[in-house]
Amino acid sequence: MSWTEKNNQLSKTFEFEDFTEAFAFMTRVAFLAEKAEHHPDWSNVYNKVEIKLTTHDADNTVTEKDRKLAKEIDAIKA
Amino acid sequence: MSWTEKNNQLSKTFEFEDFTEAFAFMTRVAFLAEKAEHHPDWSNVYNKVEIKLTTHDADNTVTEKDRKLAKEIDAIKA
Amino acid sequence: MSWTEKNNQLSKTFEFEDFTEAFAFMTRVAFLAEKAEHHPDWSNVYNKVEIKLTTHDADNTVTEKDRKLAKEIDAIKA
Amino acid sequence: MSWTEKNNQLSKTFEFEDFTEAFAFMTRVAFLAEKAEHHPDWSNVYNKVEIKLTTHDADNTVTEKDRKLAKEIDAIKA
């Protein structure tokens, strides 16, 4: 499944076996985000993680920074 | 600051110095949630963490389970 | 690979692609340990995680608690 | 308490209230390490975290990289 681009953001929902698997994934995304100094707007309920990416410094539009982070996040889950 | 009860959920927003401090807090909340087998609906953007608590098994109303987890979360941040 | 029982402890070394994958695994082990209230003696260097299990309350011998946690840890990595 | 320099490494032991507080600290150290691409040799038992820093690329001697990371780790705990 690919990311959806709408309202100037990329979004995607990831689903896991349970909460701890979801949170371990979030931990890996957190490392990527912190390294890129580009942080997601994200939420979690039990085994679901919804990630939204936009670039605040570019008037909240989708930029190359978002596409790069999206690709790196997909690589974790793969 | 206390939790807000509205629309059958308890909610509260926590603010931190930066993303890594926010995520470390989330890790501690995650331990509490997993131990209680009661998981929040929560979101994060950079240094802010918004937590919403409701009990799905009780027709999505606020129960003692939510109040207990809310208290435990407050104890972390204190 | 199975766990080694020696000197009254179960031990096993896990290897990952990189540090963030290793740390995400540690996060999942941490959830299991906290839930069981049975915590490992463990160490990490980059992509390697060495876990040692023993039961302090049982004069530091290997007990059923250790075998159960070992099995749960293996289930994550599988 | 300061770091001990011995056998070509900086080491320090941190103590916390319990396991979850210790692991939350480890999560923050992990972010620093990953960002600096300089990873510790560290271990944990319940509420104690022992961190050892050395620079593998410099024949396992203590370098400026280790001193910088040590300072950043101290800043978390402060």
Side-chain angles (χ1 to χ4, degrees):
Chain A
M1 209 203 76
S2 60
W3 294 72
T4 303
E5 185 165 346
K6 209 173 63 176
N7 301 327
N8 287 316
Q9 53 188 13
L10 290 181
S11 69
K12 188 167 173 178
T13 300
F14 295 85
E15 200 166 330
F16 300 88
E17 287 293 307
D18 57 23
F19 176 71
T20 66
E21 201 190 309
F23 197 80
F25 168 75
M26 290 177 73
T27 300
R28 294 193 68 190
V29 172
F31 280 121
L32 291 174
E34 182 61 14
K35 211 166 184 177
E37 293 186 7
H38 189 54
H39 301 88
D41 175 346
W42 56 349
S43 60
N44 159 251
V45 188
Y46 194 57
N47 68 332
K48 289 198 181 69
V49 180
E50 185 185 9
I51 303 180
K52 293 178 198 159
L53 302 173
T54 190
T55 302
H56 301 295
D57 299 347
D59 289 324
N60 297 310
T61 58
V62 174
T63 67
E64 204 42 51
K65 275 179 132 174
D66 301 300
R67 299 192 196 288
K68 186 169 178 289
L69 187 52
K71 238 177 249 173
E72 291 174 345
I73 291 170
D74 282 341
I76 296 174
K77 178 65 175 161
Chain B
M1 206 202 79
S2 60
W3 293 73
T4 303
E5 185 166 346
K6 212 172 58 177
N7 301 328
N8 287 316
Q9 54 189 13
L10 289 180
S11 69
K12 189 168 172 177
T13 300
F14 295 85
E15 199 166 331
F16 299 89
E17 286 293 308
D18 57 24
F19 176 71
T20 66
E21 201 190 309
F23 197 79
F25 168 75
M26 290 176 73
T27 301
R28 295 194 68 190
V29 172
F31 280 121
L32 291 175
E34 182 61 13
K35 212 167 184 177
E37 294 185 8
H38 189 56
H39 301 87
D41 175 346
W42 55 348
S43 61
N44 159 251
V45 189
Y46 192 57
N47 69 331
K48 288 198 182 67
V49 180
E50 185 185 9
I51 303 179
K52 293 178 198 160
L53 302 173
T54 190
T55 302
H56 301 295
D57 300 346
D59 289 324
N60 297 311
T61 59
V62 174
T63 68
E64 203 43 49
K65 274 179 134 175
D66 301 301
R67 299 192 196 288
K68 187 169 178 287
L69 187 52
K71 237 177 250 174
E72 291 174 345
I73 292 170
D74 282 340
I76 296 174
K77 177 67 175 162
Chain C
M1 207 202 76
S2 60
W3 293 73
T4 303
E5 185 166 345
K6 209 172 61 176
N7 302 326
N8 287 316
Q9 52 189 14
L10 290 180
S11 70
K12 188 167 173 177
T13 300
F14 295 85
E15 199 166 331
F16 300 88
E17 287 293 308
D18 57 24
F19 176 71
T20 67
E21 200 190 308
F23 197 79
F25 168 75
M26 290 176 73
T27 300
R28 295 193 69 190
V29 172
F31 280 121
L32 291 175
E34 182 61 13
K35 212 167 184 176
E37 294 186 7
H38 189 56
H39 302 87
D41 175 347
W42 55 348
S43 61
N44 158 251
V45 188
Y46 193 57
N47 67 332
K48 288 198 182 69
V49 180
E50 185 185 9
I51 303 180
K52 293 178 197 159
L53 303 174
T54 190
T55 302
H56 301 295
D57 300 347
D59 289 325
N60 296 312
T61 58
V62 174
T63 68
E64 204 43 50
K65 274 180 133 174
D66 301 300
R67 300 192 195 289
K68 187 169 178 285
L69 187 52
K71 238 177 250 173
E72 291 174 346
I73 291 170
D74 282 341
I76 296 175
K77 179 64 175 162
Chain D
M1 207 201 78
S2 59
W3 294 73
T4 303
E5 185 166 347
K6 210 172 60 178
N7 300 328
N8 286 317
Q9 54 189 12
L10 289 180
S11 69
K12 188 168 173 177
T13 300
F14 295 86
E15 199 165 331
F16 299 89
E17 287 292 308
D18 56 24
F19 176 72
T20 67
E21 201 189 309
F23 197 79
F25 168 75
M26 289 176 74
T27 300
R28 295 194 68 190
V29 173
F31 280 122
L32 291 174
E34 182 61 14
K35 211 167 185 176
E37 294 185 8
H38 189 55
H39 301 88
D41 175 345
W42 56 347
S43 60
N44 159 250
V45 189
Y46 193 58
N47 68 331
K48 289 198 180 68
V49 180
E50 185 185 8
I51 303 179
K52 293 179 198 159
L53 303 173
T54 189
T55 302
H56 301 295
D57 300 346
D59 288 324
N60 297 311
T61 58
V62 173
T63 68
E64 203 43 50
K65 274 179 133 174
D66 301 300
R67 299 190 196 290
K68 186 168 177 289
L69 187 52
K71 237 177 248 172
E72 291 173 345
I73 291 171
D74 283 341
I76 296 175
K77 178 65 175 161

